[in-house]
């Protein structure tokens, strides 16, 4: 390789992969495998697809394979990321790849986690535009500047890489909305067309929903779409404080 | 159109003793400012009195302004500690981490923290006004 | 085996992409008990990958724009085998449906006037082809599908649609009267098989681009609905018509939106020549996708491809400037850096024509009702079953779809199907019952797979899928010829018994992806076979179907839809609709760009 700008990757990849089949395994275990990369800088998902051809019992989610559907979030060599857009040159520069499910959520099987809690938190912030005034015959107008407020917010793909890297979400997933949910909360608060600011803010003023964020920014570091939930949380907090004093 | 109300995840407020996150957040910042001011004042005082005697120290605390400032700092410290430790107990002493006994454990821990804080508060206030 | 659990709904939608969610929203918004069965969490459906936009004459970029011009472009783009009443309906209703999406919160990009931003796309014109290039594609940067899908899912949450997320629909249940009464579905998470019954069942299962080796489609695009319909004895239409998108990233297959060329990008060959000027002097890089894809293959055949292997062409964007690229095409820049290792701000993107869209599907009318052919050749309705989106063939795309028309198709006909079912439910549809024999028939495939008696003879789903994809790529690609297609068809049919005999090496029930991989491969195979038979049947070149042995369009014999039944690989024809409701039809003429 090299000519197309990609990094040279070792031929033999040492993989350690989290396995748990509830019907077969009493406890989760790490399976050690070797994989022939042919020196190509494959994506981690390519490697998984190759492994699954050899062992069809290996389970994980995947769909678009281009980083927009958010299915294949997992913990790749210690960092949450999407398998389909993480090249080996980044995930296993030393030829060792460690794959685990996203931390903090119950494991269903192998790399598949139960995302119920994550989705529930998303639903809790009323993730839809609220504007009960009768709509005009055409679109509601919005200036490019107003629309620009939504950039960096609406692009979230709900992959859960951020929330499952957040200790506050690990400790209190029932009560802390988590970075992904709060990013969407701000997406609607920031939308010039939404009229439910007061209700949205009232729903977040308790001690847990938003205020459990301690600003450690794991969410920012782990977002595969380079979004910034911490900044969004800060924006909501400022609004809440402005509203209170 | 249908259901316009925000159905936000309301937290069981029993364990947060009726305070909101905004109040906690403000109290933490305000108390921190008071503590910072108090600390700075004391540091400057010490620097200006390199050979501090017991008499000078008593004189300082004889003024009602200093007594008020000290009580304020003590209250700030107490509330700051309570909010901080309450957060710690609700992060780590949870059913999620410890199972069903967590609620009891957490309440016990919170009671202990409260007792300690009120104890310090009492002793501190006595020390200032004695 | 214990008694199978069953659940009953007013409406059951199979598929949680744009079309399915729009239908569901219509029905749950009116208070009907509506359930969506989706094999992935809905926002992971392939609609999420649509980039460029949704084409619609909303009159933002051009106040004079007219839906009839859009209709003309669509009819011409379809190479005249699109049904004109349906195209008329889509283009006329479009603005209303797009405004609805905006009211629901879709974050469209904006013009300085605060209106929805529209960009030029391929095949678009003003004044019925005489007024030059139009700008008609409404966009949310280059993430329109993502924005649209999330908006629809969010509004379904608001209206409390029931979601069966990560449930896989296996087969339709038909009673002895031929009425569809529901579907057999498996909960992927725990393997439970359930009978879902409904007064109305909607197939919104999307495309099947995974029949080809090189495709822009997601792994999940396996034609499940098409195959379910075929197994239930329902005919499919125009399955030879597959769109090859001119710009899939070389090697990876990932889509690069036509919006790149809409914003001013263009294709070059190894000499740096803008070769589309030769093939389409007027529209150039914004000619129909079939035209551009064929021109690219010709360039490659004439050794003017780029790279050491001369096996790709280049999409040049750097002249647009960093600011335009970052504001209008941020997603593309990201994809190019990740999958082609180039930064479009400085270098061109290596691209090749890549399988992108299935113009064919289950034939339906404007109300989404699935059609079958009566003995006298006339259309009649299959009771209880509907379809919309890519899995349906209304047909608004005919032999070639225009860019930006797929998202419009999803929401216009998703809504229309919902509206029709809504009125039918209001009028009262009785819940038809199915006997245990009917249910058992629908369970046959699953029973065979789970019995695991067949033995695989060394076959794996992955190897068989690769073999099938290789055949389709080689024999049913951009250019086709009778001899090659016959070879391909024979090779393909040799795979059927092996694919049907596949058993599971892993019999576990919790999130057993192997089970679904086999079921999906069986579905893909049905689609591939339908394509193979109808492609060979159509002895002409039209739209995306380009034959080296029949290079001309043959309106005398082939101004019609092709039909295909699974039983006996029977093929047939169906008339194209030339009767728009409120205007004269556009008559076929020479199609040039």
């Amino acid at each position: 390789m090299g000519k197309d700008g990609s990094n040279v990757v070792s031929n033999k990849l040492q993989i350690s992969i989290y396995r748990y089949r509830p019907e077969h395994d009493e406890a989760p275990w790490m399976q050690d495998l070797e994989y022939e990369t042919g020196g190509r800088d494959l994506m981690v998902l390519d490697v998984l697809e190759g492994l699954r051809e050899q062992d069809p019992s290996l389970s994980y989610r995947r769909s678009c394979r281009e980083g927009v559907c958010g299915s294949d979030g997992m913990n790749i060599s210690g960092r949450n990321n999407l398998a389909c857009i993480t090249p080996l040159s980044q995930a296993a520069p030393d030829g060792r790849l460690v794959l685990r499910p996203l931390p903090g959520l119950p494991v269903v099987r192998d790399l598949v986690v139960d995302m119920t809690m994550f989705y529930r938190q998303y639903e809790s912030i009323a993730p839809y535009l609220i504007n009960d005034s009768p709509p005009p015959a055409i679109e509601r107008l919005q200036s490019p500047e107003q629309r620009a407020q939504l950039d960096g917010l609406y692009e979230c793909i709900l992959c859960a890489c951020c929330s499952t890297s957040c200790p506050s979400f690990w400790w209190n997933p029932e009560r802390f909305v988590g970075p992904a949910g709060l990013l969407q909360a701000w997406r609607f608060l920031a939308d010039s067309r939404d009229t439910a600011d007061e209700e949205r803010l009232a729903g977040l003023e308790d001690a847990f929903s938003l205020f459990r964020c301690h600003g450690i920014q794991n969410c920012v570091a782990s977002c595969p779409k380079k979004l910034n939930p911490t900044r969004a949380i800060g924006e909501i907090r400022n609004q809440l404080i402005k509203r209170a004093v | 159109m249908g259901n316009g109300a925000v159905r936000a995840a309301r937290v069981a407020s029993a364990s947060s003793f009726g305070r909101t996150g905004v109040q906690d957040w403000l109290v933490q910042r305000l108390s921190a400012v008071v503590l910072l001011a108090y600390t700075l004042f004391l540091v400057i005082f010490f620097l200006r009195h390199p050979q501090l005697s017991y008499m000078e120290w008593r004189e300082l605390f004889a003024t009602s302004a200093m007594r008020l400032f000290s009580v304020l700092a003590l209250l700030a410290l107490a509330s700051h500690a309570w909010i901080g430790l309450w957060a710690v107990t609700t992060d780590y002493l949870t059913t999620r981490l410890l199972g069903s006994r967590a609620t009891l454990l957490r309440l016990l821990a919170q009671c202990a923290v409260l007792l300690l804080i009120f104890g310090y508060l009492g002793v501190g206030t006595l020390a200032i006004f004695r | 085996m214990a008694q199978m659990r069953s659940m009953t709904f007013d409406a059951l939608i199979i598929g949680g992409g744009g079309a399915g969610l729009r239908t569901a929203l219509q029905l749950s918004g009116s208070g009907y008990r509506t359930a969506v069965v989706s094999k992935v969490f809905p926002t992971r459906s392939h609609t999420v990958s649509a980039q460029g936009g949704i084409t619609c004459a909303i009159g933002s970029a051009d106040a004079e724009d007219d839906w009839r011009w859009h209709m003309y472009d669509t009819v011409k783009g379809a190479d005249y085998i699109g049904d004109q009443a349906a195209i008329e309906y889509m283009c006329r209703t479009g603005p209303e449906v797009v405004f609805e999406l905006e009211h629901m919160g879709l974050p469209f990009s904006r013009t300085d006037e605060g209106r929805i931003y529209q960009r030029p796309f391929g095949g678009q014109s003003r004044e019925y082809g005489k007024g030059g290039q139009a700008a008609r594609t409404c966009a949310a940067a280059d993430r329109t599908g993502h924005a649209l899908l999330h908006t629809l899912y969010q509004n379904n949450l608001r209206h409390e649609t029931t979601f069966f997320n990560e449930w896989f629909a296996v087969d339709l249940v038909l009673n002895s009267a031929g009425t569809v009464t529901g579907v057999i579905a498996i909960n992927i998470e725990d393997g439970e098989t359930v009978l879902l019954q409904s007064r109305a069942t909607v197939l919104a299962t999307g495309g099947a681009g995974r029949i080809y080796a090189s495709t822009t489609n997601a792994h999940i695009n396996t034609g499940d609905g098409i195959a379910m319909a075929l197994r239930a004895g329902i005919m499919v239409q125009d399955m030879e018509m597959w769109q090859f998108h001119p710009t899939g990233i070389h090697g990876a297959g990932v889509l690069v939106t036509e919006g790149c060329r809409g914003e001013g990008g263009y294709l070059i060959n190894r000499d740096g020549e803008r070769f589309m000027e030769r093939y389409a002097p007027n529209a150039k890089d914004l000619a129909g996708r079939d035209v551009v894809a064929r021109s690219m293959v010709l360039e490659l055949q004439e050794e003017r491809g780029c790279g050491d292997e001369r096996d790709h062409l280049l999409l040049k964007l750097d002249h647009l400037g960093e600011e335009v690229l970052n504001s209008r095409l941020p997603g593309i820049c990201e994809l190019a850096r990740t999958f082609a290792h180039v930064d479009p701000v400085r270098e061109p993107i290596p691209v090749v024509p890549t399988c992108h869209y299935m113009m064919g599907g289950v034939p339906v009318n404007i109300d989404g009702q699935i059609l079958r052919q009566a003995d006298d050749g006339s259309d009649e309705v299959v009771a209880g079953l509907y379809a919309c989106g890519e899995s349906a063939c209304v047909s608004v795309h005919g032999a070639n779809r225009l860019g930006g028309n797929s998202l419009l198709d999803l929401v216009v006909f998703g809504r229309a199907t919902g509206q029709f079912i809504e009125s039918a439910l209001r009028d009262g549809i009785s819940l038809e019952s199915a006997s245990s024999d009917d249910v058992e028939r629908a369970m046959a495939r699953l029973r065979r797979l789970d019995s695991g008696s067949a033995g695989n003879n060394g076959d794996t789903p992955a190897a068989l899928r690769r073999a099938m994809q290789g055949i389709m790529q080689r024999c049913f690609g951009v250019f086709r010829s009778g001899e090659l297609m016959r070879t391909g068809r024979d090779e393909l049919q040799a795979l059927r018994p092996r694919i049907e005999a596949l058993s599971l090496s892993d019999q576990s029930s919790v999130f057993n992806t192997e089970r679904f991989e086999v079921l999906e491969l069986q579905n893909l195979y049905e689609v591939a076979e339908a394509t193979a038979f109808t492609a060979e049947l159509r002895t002409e070149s039209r739209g995306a179907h380009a034959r080296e042995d029949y290079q001309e369009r043959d309106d005398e014999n082939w101004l019609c839809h092709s039909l295909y039944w699974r039983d006996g690989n029977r093929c047939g024809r169906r008339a194209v609709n030339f009767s728009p409701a409120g205007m004269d039809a556009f008559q076929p003429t020479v199609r040039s760009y």
Side-chain angles (χ1 to χ4, degrees):
Chain A
M1 255 357 220
K3 81 174 162 63
D4 57 3
S6 59
N7 297 352
V8 177
V9 169
S10 62
N11 260 318
K12 267 221 179 359
L13 187 66
Q14 305 288 329
I15 307 170
S16 189
I17 186 163
Y18 180 102
R19 297 303 304 267
Y20 176 60
R21 287 198 285 160
E23 293 151 287
H24 293 77
D25 303 322
E26 274 181 27
W29 54 289
M30 296 302 289
Q31 183 178 22
D32 291 316
L33 295 163
E34 259 188 17
Y35 188 79
E36 206 65 58
T37 64
R40 291 165 299 160
D41 191 10
L42 300 170
M43 296 295 174
V44 171
L45 180 63
D46 300 329
V47 174
L48 279 168
E49 291 282 293
L51 292 176
R52 208 158 68 87
E53 279 191 34
Q54 296 157 23
D55 177 4
S57 74
L58 175 62
S59 287
Y60 51 89
R61 296 185 174 102
R62 90 280 179 268
S63 179
C64 75
R65 60 81 168 87
E66 58 189 33
V68 295
C69 79
S71 298
D72 60 353
M74 55 186 71
N75 189 273
I76 301 169
S77 298
R79 283 180 79 115
N80 290 355
N81 211 331
L82 300 176
C84 58
I85 54 168
T86 307
L88 290 178
S89 54
Q90 179 191 322
D94 56 350
R96 280 195 54 80
L97 178 66
V98 184
L99 299 178
R100 294 173 183 271
L102 288 174
L105 294 177
V107 174
V108 175
R109 167 174 174 161
D110 297 340
L111 301 174
V112 178
V113 289
D114 178 352
M115 295 175 74
T116 309
M117 204 56 93
F118 174 77
Y119 294 138
R120 195 172 294 160
Q121 293 298 26
Y122 172 68
E123 288 166 26
S124 77
I125 60 98
Y128 37 79
L129 191 91
I130 295 173
N131 184 333
D132 289 331
S133 67
I138 59 166
E139 67 269 41
R140 293 184 202 275
L141 299 185
Q142 186 174 48
S143 71
E145 293 72 33
Q146 289 171 327
R147 168 59 182 75
Q149 299 299 311
L150 309 183
D151 284 334
L153 307 173
Y154 81 97
E155 299 95 321
C156 173
I157 57 173
L158 298 177
C159 65
C161 283
C162 60
S163 291
T164 60
S165 71
C166 172
S168 288
F169 188 80
W170 296 341
W171 307 149
N172 283 298
E174 302 88 354
R175 309 202 265 188
F176 174 51
V177 171
L182 291 166
L183 187 80
Q184 289 316 296
W186 180 240
R187 178 248 173 274
F188 288 101
L189 281 163
D191 196 322
S192 60
R193 301 168 294 172
D194 190 274
T195 56
D197 287 13
E198 175 50 34
E199 294 92 321
R200 292 184 188 282
L201 290 172
L204 295 170
E205 68 175 359
D206 64 89
F208 283 93
S209 298
L210 176 132
F211 281 96
R212 267 306 139 118
C213 169
H214 299 312
I216 62 165
Q217 309 214 24
N218 276 8
C219 52
V220 183
S222 65
C223 176
K225 306 309 281 185
K226 304 192 172 58
L227 309 180
N228 191 329
T230 305
R231 193 192 300 143
I233 292 169
E235 299 276 7
I236 303 176
R237 192 168 47 217
N238 290 345
Q239 298 260 320
L240 280 167
I241 289 159
K242 228 183 273 168
R243 174 173 164 273
V245 296
Chain B
M1 259 181 51
N3 169 17
V6 179
R7 283 170 295 129
R10 287 297 190 155
V11 167
S13 60
S15 62
S16 61
F17 299 92
R19 304 179 325 260
T20 69
V22 192
Q23 288 162 352
D24 278 4
W25 193 88
L26 285 171
V27 169
Q28 283 305 72
R29 267 74 198 161
L30 274 175
S31 58
V33 169
V34 171
L35 287 172
L36 183 69
Y38 195 75
T39 312
L40 278 177
F41 173 81
L42 282 184
V43 167
I44 292 167
F45 181 81
F46 285 132
L47 286 175
R48 292 172 64 174
H49 298 84
Q51 255 98 47
L52 184 64
S53 70
Y54 180 64
M55 284 313 288
E56 285 169 314
W57 185 244
R58 277 209 63 150
E59 247 169 67
L60 172 69
F61 278 88
T63 62
S64 46
M66 185 58 197
R67 284 181 174 171
L68 198 68
F69 194 14
S70 300
V71 171
L72 202 64
L74 207 55
L75 284 170
L77 184 64
S79 52
H80 199 89
W82 166 241
I83 291 171
L85 286 169
W86 174 80
V88 171
T89 57
T90 48
D91 267 351
Y92 297 104
L93 303 179
T94 60
T95 31
R96 191 173 181 78
L97 293 178
L98 304 172
S100 54
R101 66 208 158 108
T103 311
L104 183 64
L105 270 176
R106 188 173 64 248
L107 278 176
L108 283 174
Q110 286 172 346
C111 286
V113 167
L114 273 180
L115 271 175
L116 213 61
I117 286 176
F118 276 114
Y120 279 126
L121 209 52
V123 173
T125 315
L126 278 178
I128 291 167
F129 287 99
R130 209 179 44 163
Chain C
M1 186 180 163
Q3 182 70 37
M4 185 166 31
R5 198 150 67 93
S6 77
M7 286 178 257
T8 304
F9 298 90
D10 291 327
L12 186 64
I13 288 105
I14 320 291
L21 291 186
R22 188 61 190 82
T23 309
L25 183 59
Q26 193 66 34
L27 290 161
S28 52
S30 329
Y32 289 105
R33 228 171 100 72
T34 309
V36 173
V37 179
S38 178
K39 64 179 176 178
V40 292
F41 182 76
T43 65
R44 321 212 185 284
S45 307
H46 192 51
T47 304
V48 82
S49 296
Q51 298 168 351
I54 175 164
T55 302
C56 189
I58 60 161
S60 162
D62 172 4
E64 317 241 283
D65 200 10
D66 191 322
W67 64 265
R68 292 171 194 85
W69 301 347
H70 179 199
M71 175 178 171
Y72 166 83
D73 293 340
T74 305
V75 170
K76 175 185 172 187
D79 220 346
Y80 300 96
I81 61 163
D83 287 343
Q84 296 204 14
I87 297 174
E88 177 194 33
Y89 179 82
M90 177 175 81
C91 298
R92 185 165 45 81
T93 328
E96 190 186 327
V97 182
V98 168
F99 294 143
E100 271 175 10
L101 288 171
E102 195 281 334
H103 300 152
M104 286 179 211
L106 201 158
F108 281 111
S109 301
R110 299 288 170 158
T111 64
D112 288 339
E113 291 73 46
R115 297 207 56 193
I116 294 172
Y117 169 72
Q118 291 182 292
R119 61 163 53 111
F121 244 55
Q124 291 179 357
S125 75
R126 304 179 76 253
E127 298 165 42
Y128 309 104
K130 296 182 202 79
Q133 177 73 41
R136 194 174 289 136
T137 301
C138 310
D142 56 358
R143 305 187 178 97
T144 317
H146 170 281
L148 184 147
L149 187 64
H150 280 252
T151 302
L152 286 175
Y153 178 64
Q154 291 161 353
N155 281 271
N156 271 286
L157 287 178
R158 184 179 191 174
H159 293 287
E160 298 179 354
T161 304
T162 303
F163 279 99
F164 290 94
N165 292 336
E166 298 191 324
W167 283 57
F168 188 94
V170 181
D171 265 314
L172 297 168
V173 179
L174 282 80
N175 67 14
S176 50
T179 302
V180 174
T181 66
V183 71
I184 303 286
I186 308 176
N187 180 354
I188 296 176
E189 188 177 319
D190 65 11
E192 186 190 6
T193 305
V194 171
L195 172 63
L196 300 176
Q197 303 184 101
S198 175
R199 296 168 208 276
T201 303
V202 183
L203 295 176
T205 53
R210 286 275 154 182
I211 64 171
Y212 286 93
S214 171
T215 175
T216 64
N217 282 196
H219 285 285
I220 55 169
N221 289 23
T222 53
D224 302 339
I226 305 286
M228 278 190 267
L230 280 168
R231 280 190 296 269
I234 292 161
M235 65 190 187
V236 292
Q237 176 172 289
D238 294 340
M239 290 302 292
E240 70 277 27
M241 299 300 180
W242 286 89
Q243 177 163 83
F244 284 75
H245 195 289
T247 54
I249 292 180
H250 174 59
V254 171
L255 173 69
V256 176
T257 175
E258 188 167 291
C260 292
R261 285 170 283 137
E263 298 286 348
Y266 55 85
L267 294 159
I268 53 174
N269 60 20
R270 72 178 293 113
D271 306 323
E273 184 207 2
R274 185 174 180 182
F275 57 87
M276 280 312 298
E277 291 179 332
R278 265 188 284 122
Y279 296 96
N282 297 316
K284 297 173 189 166
D285 293 83
L286 288 177
R289 284 179 179 171
D290 56 332
V291 176
V292 180
R294 271 196 297 278
S295 310
M296 290 171 78
V297 173
L298 290 173
E299 286 298 298
L300 294 176
Q301 284 175 354
E302 286 164 25
E303 299 280 315
R304 285 194 291 272
C306 306
D308 295 342
E309 312 282 328
R310 304 197 176 196
D311 57 354
H312 62 269
L313 294 149
L314 295 172
L315 174 64
K316 186 172 146 50
L317 294 173
D318 56 303
H319 57 284
L320 301 180
E322 192 164 356
E323 202 178 314
V324 169
L325 290 175
N326 285 337
S327 64
R328 300 285 186 223
L329 302 164
I332 293 304
C333 294
E334 204 181 302
L335 288 173
R337 287 178 201 123
T338 308
F339 289 99
H341 306 289
V342 300
D343 184 350
V345 173
R346 281 185 292 278
E347 303 158 87
I349 310 174
V351 291
V352 285
T354 305
C355 173
H356 182 56
Y357 188 85
M358 175 179 80
M359 268 77 73
V362 184
V364 293
N365 60 22
I366 288 170
D367 297 324
Q369 292 177 290
I370 288 182
L371 303 173
R372 67 171 158 225
Q373 224 169 19
D375 293 336
D376 64 353
S378 63
D379 292 340
E380 61 182 35
V381 165
V382 177
L385 191 62
Y386 304 79
C388 54
E390 191 171 342
S391 59
C393 183
V394 190
S395 133
V396 286
H397 310 307
N400 172 62
R401 171 172 75 76
L402 291 190
N405 267 356
S406 60
L407 291 184
L408 188 64
D409 173 10
L410 303 186
V411 288
V412 166
F413 292 104
R415 184 179 88 141
T417 303
Q419 284 172 336
F420 181 83
I421 295 173
E422 203 179 329
S423 66
L425 287 169
R426 210 177 301 123
D427 295 344
I429 318 178
S430 62
L431 183 69
E432 298 290 325
S433 62
S435 70
S436 58
D437 282 355
D438 300 332
V439 175
E440 202 48 39
R441 223 177 7 258
M443 285 287 294
R445 187 163 72 115
L446 206 54
R447 293 242 194 275
R448 190 171 55 221
L449 179 62
D450 286 340
S451 70
S453 56
N456 279 351
N457 305 318
D459 280 335
T460 65
L464 290 177
R465 186 177 56 234
R466 235 189 331 265
M468 177 195 71
Q469 291 169 335
I471 296 166
M472 295 306 292
Q473 194 76 26
R474 206 171 66 246
C475 307
F476 301 92
V478 173
F479 285 103
R480 300 159 173 187
S481 75
E483 201 176 333
L484 197 58
M485 286 194 285
R486 274 187 293 280
T487 318
R489 190 194 63 196
D490 292 343
E491 287 177 29
L492 199 62
Q493 287 199 291
L495 294 178
R496 177 187 276 278
R498 293 164 67 189
I499 288 173
E500 288 188 341
L502 279 172
S503 58
L504 300 175
S505 64
D506 173 14
Q507 295 282 353
S508 60
S509 46
V510 175
F511 225 99
N512 181 348
T513 45
E514 189 192 12
R515 168 174 289 129
F516 303 101
E517 194 183 3
V518 174
L519 292 171
E520 286 177 334
L521 174 60
Q522 291 170 350
N523 291 341
L524 281 172
Y525 177 81
E526 301 294 350
V527 176
E529 200 179 71
T531 298
F533 274 89
T534 47
E536 201 201 327
L537 182 74
R538 187 179 282 275
T539 49
E540 64 156 354
S541 289
R542 180 186 300 272
H545 182 65
R547 287 185 66 146
E548 280 159 345
D549 46 354
Y550 295 91
Q551 296 190 0
E552 298 301 317
R553 194 174 81 191
D554 178 2
D555 286 342
E556 207 159 302
N557 295 303
W558 285 107
L559 193 63
C560 63
H561 298 295
S562 72
L563 295 175
Y564 172 83
W565 290 262
R566 178 172 177 266
D567 188 21
N569 305 115
R570 189 158 62 90
C571 294
R573 299 173 188 216
R574 184 167 165 259
V576 172
N577 176 296
F578 278 92
S579 314
M583 60 197 297
D584 291 334
F586 296 104
Q587 293 306 320
T589 56
V590 174
R591 177 168 169 256
S592 65
Y593 285 101

